[in-house]
Amino acid sequence: MPQQQFGLIGLAVMGENLALNVERNGFPIAVYNRTRAKTDAFMAERAQGRQVVAAFTPEELVASLERPRRILIMVKAGAPVDAVIQQLKPMLEPGDVLIDGGNSLYGDTVRRTEELEAVGLRFIGMGVSGGEEGALNGPSLMPGGTEAAYKDLSPILTKIAAQVDDGPCVTYIGPGGAGHYVKMVHNGIEYGDMQLIAEAYDLLKNVLGLSHTELHQVFSEWNTTDELNSFLIEITAEIFTYVDPDTQQPLVELILDKAGQKGTGRWTVMSALELGVPIPTITAAVNARITSSFKDERVKASQILTGPTATFSGDKQAFIGKVRDALYCSKICSYAQGMALMSAASQEFKFNLNLSEISRIWKGGCIIRAGFLDKIKSAFADDPALANLLLAPEFRQTILDRQDAWREVMATAAQLGIPVPAFSASLDYFDSYRRDRLPQNLTQAQRDFFGAHTYQRIDKEGTFHTEWTAINESNS
């Protein structure tokens, strides 16, 4: 019996779809799942008639693969990944490749890479974005780890990835945990994007009173523009058309307003704090999900705490345009923060990230795919050392042209009591970044006053400390 070219462990929906994607692109595959019933069902239904071989033990899976073996692990992040690796390790030979395609913490990937390379095995930590549909028809893939292993896998990965005008949506990201780090930041940007869209919806619905038919029309129109054309805007427009068959009400309004999260957004914020990189839009998005989880408290508070009673009296169509501009400006800031974080991580961890190429592979397959990623790709191609996306001519002028509308939306939201934490964080980020002087001179004075932490001066070289109380006493 001929041996299979690829192996996969873990037949949840993502695993199944990736297996079918690999097989459809000409690579016979062997699959294994810890629960045999799952494997049986997959083989009897979706895999029927395909070049898919079922293995019912890890030993069978390994024995069914040609050398060097290539095995994709699609199990829950954390301890389950370690368990699978330890189970496979004694059966493998030098040169074999293991790929972790889950949302693993990049530090775990670094550890696993070092452990496996020490015994001659190769390891790839690969971010996979695109959800179930992307896994089946072409995801964005972010593989990092042993470069030689990527070269061995590239004939497969370039076939199964999403295809865009300038190539497949996969590239070698960098050594160690680079792939999973970039996927983590991708998810952080995704958090920001989703929160910004939710805030735009809140403004249009609760300030202007747009119906769901009108919301569908607005978001559909926005999706035709160069600025906002994206997967998330597209599916948002579609969501507004779905009517619950039981109640005949828009389904979105029947969904409990408690957002879940799997941890990658929180990890992004934690990494940014450790590296000293401000990502306020992404942080605001994570906080918004956390705040939403306090549903019972919010319901009680709504009966006690009151807000403004004013209503909107301006031009509705003009305000819709201003919300669109505010959304785009805020979106630019969110991506700028993610890119700045990856740049800092690249230096700290020696990932050698190519931000232009990363932007390119996000153009197709992934959740944050958007038309304006071409502009981001070009900005970093033109200037690989670009300190911040806000400084690129294209984006600088975009915000300068739209900032009046952005500020008016913020003012209206504040006057009417509509929370827009991500919009606001984005504007604060822009305003802080463009200022040549911030009030942290006072912060430094306070730190020196109570803790002798010292400060620097703008008119003299060196580090200084002042006995603030003594000076005040001598002047009294």
Side-chain angles (χ1 to χ4, degrees), residues 99-131:
I99 312 134
D100 173 14
N103 275 332
S104 290
L105 182 62
Y106 70 95
D108 288 342
T109 304
V110 171
R111 170 178 56 79
R112 291 164 185 152
T113 303
E114 292 172 350
E115 290 175 359
L116 291 169
E117 285 186 342
V119 295
L121 300 176
R122 297 180 293 174
F123 188 68
I124 290 287
M126 184 170 71
V128 179
S129 179

Side-chain angles (χ1 to χ4, degrees), residues 79-114:
V81 177
D82 286 320
V84 170
I85 290 173
Q86 292 308 311
Q87 193 174 29
L88 292 174
K89 203 170 169 183
M91 310 173 199
L92 301 177
E93 299 174 350
D96 289 348
V97 184
L98 291 178
I99 312 134
D100 173 14
N103 275 332
S104 290
L105 182 62
Y106 70 95
D108 288 342
T109 304
V110 171
R111 170 178 56 79
R112 291 164 185 152
T113 303
E114 292 172 350

Side-chain angles (χ1 to χ4, degrees), residues 61 188 193 248 283 307 395 446 454-455:
L61 179 80
D193 232 347
Q248 298 305 305
T283 302
F395 296 108
Q446 292 169 328
T454 73
Y455 56 88

Side-chain angles (χ1 to χ4, degrees), residues 32 55-64 87-88 91:
Y32 165 73
F56 297 103
T57 67
E59 290 82 0
E60 283 184 25
L61 179 80
V62 171
S64 70
Q87 193 174 29
L88 292 174
M91 310 173 199

Side-chain angles (χ1 to χ4, degrees), residues 366-410:
C366 74
I367 301 302
I368 63 170
R369 60 185 183 265
F372 93 129
L373 279 162
D374 248 332
K375 298 178 181 179
I376 298 177
K377 182 193 80 168
S378 297
F380 285 106
D382 293 343
D383 183 4
L386 183 66
N388 192 291
L389 198 60
L390 297 179
L391 301 177
E394 166 81 26
F395 296 108
R396 179 181 69 226
Q397 197 58 48
T398 290
I399 289 184
L400 293 179
D401 291 344
R402 292 165 171 79
Q403 66 171 312
D404 287 348
W406 194 8
R407 296 180 192 283
E408 185 174 330
V409 169
M410 295 300 94

Side-chain angles (χ1 to χ4, degrees), residues 77-405:
V81 177
D82 286 320
V84 170
I85 290 173
Q86 292 308 311
Q87 193 174 29
L88 292 174
K89 203 170 169 183
M91 310 173 199
L92 301 177
E93 299 174 350
D96 289 348
V97 184
L98 291 178
I99 312 134
D100 173 14
N103 275 332
S104 290
L105 182 62
Y106 70 95
D108 288 342
T109 304
V110 171
R111 170 178 56 79
R112 291 164 185 152
T113 303
E114 292 172 350
E115 290 175 359
L116 291 169
E117 285 186 342
V119 295
L121 300 176
R122 297 180 293 174
F123 188 68
I124 290 287
M126 184 170 71
V128 179
S129 179
E132 298 172 14
E133 185 271 337
L136 181 62
N137 297 314
S140 175
L141 301 174
M142 294 154 259
T146 312
E147 187 169 11
Y150 172 73
K151 290 178 179 177
D152 185 69
L153 292 168
S154 62
I156 300 174
L157 299 184
T158 54
K159 287 285 189 181
I160 69 170
Q163 308 293 316
V164 292
D165 56 354
D166 48 7
C169 292
V170 60
T171 190
Y172 175 66
I173 299 295
H180 276 139
Y181 192 93
V182 168
K183 176 55 162 58
M184 177 189 76
V185 177
H186 164 286
N187 284 22
I189 294 171
E190 179 184 310
Y191 273 54
D193 232 347
M194 294 175 71
Q195 178 62 25
L196 290 168
I197 292 170
E199 290 174 15
Y201 150 69
D202 198 7
L203 289 164
L204 297 177
K205 178 175 181 285
N206 292 308
V207 172
L208 299 185
L210 297 193
S211 68
H212 286 78
T213 299
E214 291 170 320
L215 288 167
H216 166 71
Q217 292 169 345
V218 168
F219 279 90
S220 295
E221 181 183 340
W222 287 357
N223 195 47
T224 66
T225 65
D226 289 340
E227 294 90 349
L228 293 180
N229 169 254
S230 67
F231 173 71
L232 284 171
I233 294 289
E234 177 188 346
I235 67 169
T236 299
E238 190 170 337
I239 284 168
F240 291 126
T241 67
Y242 193 94
V243 175
D244 175 51
D246 295 330
T247 64
Q248 298 305 305
Q249 298 296 313
L251 179 60
V252 67
E253 299 305 332
L254 301 175
I255 296 174
L256 185 66
D257 54 323
K258 289 174 63 172
Q261 54 180 312
K262 292 186 176 180
T264 46
R266 176 168 46 85
W267 292 348
T268 306
V269 172
M270 291 167 64
S271 180
L273 290 171
E274 290 168 353
L275 292 173
V277 178
I279 55 166
T281 307
I282 296 169
T283 302
V286 174
N287 284 336
R289 294 197 189 192
I290 295 170
T291 302
S292 76
S293 69
F294 291 87
K295 175 66 174 179
D296 292 342
E297 284 188 40
R298 291 189 290 111
V299 169
K300 291 177 182 177
S302 70
Q303 299 165 359
I304 301 170
L305 304 176
T306 58
T309 57
T311 57
F312 182 80
S313 58
D315 184 324
K316 280 190 174 184
Q317 286 303 314
F319 190 72
I320 290 171
K322 290 170 184 175
V323 172
R324 178 199 61 218
D325 289 344
L327 176 57
Y328 186 43
C329 290
S330 298
K331 184 184 181 85
I332 291 170
C333 288
S334 182
Y335 277 76
Q337 293 160 33
M339 294 294 172
L341 177 56
M342 287 192 292
S343 179
S346 185
Q347 295 180 42
E348 178 70 18
F349 305 129
K350 297 180 172 53
F351 286 155
N352 194 31
L353 299 180
N354 183 329
L355 298 183
S356 178
E357 183 69 353
I358 289 169
S359 303
R360 185 194 68 78
I361 68 169
W362 286 352
K363 287 169 53 179
C366 74
I367 301 302
I368 63 170
R369 60 185 183 265
F372 93 129
L373 279 162
D374 248 332
K375 298 178 181 179
I376 298 177
K377 182 193 80 168
S378 297
F380 285 106
D382 293 343
D383 183 4
L386 183 66
N388 192 291
L389 198 60
L390 297 179
L391 301 177
E394 166 81 26
F395 296 108
R396 179 181 69 226
Q397 197 58 48
T398 290
I399 289 184
L400 293 179
D401 291 344
R402 292 165 171 79
Q403 66 171 312
D404 287 348

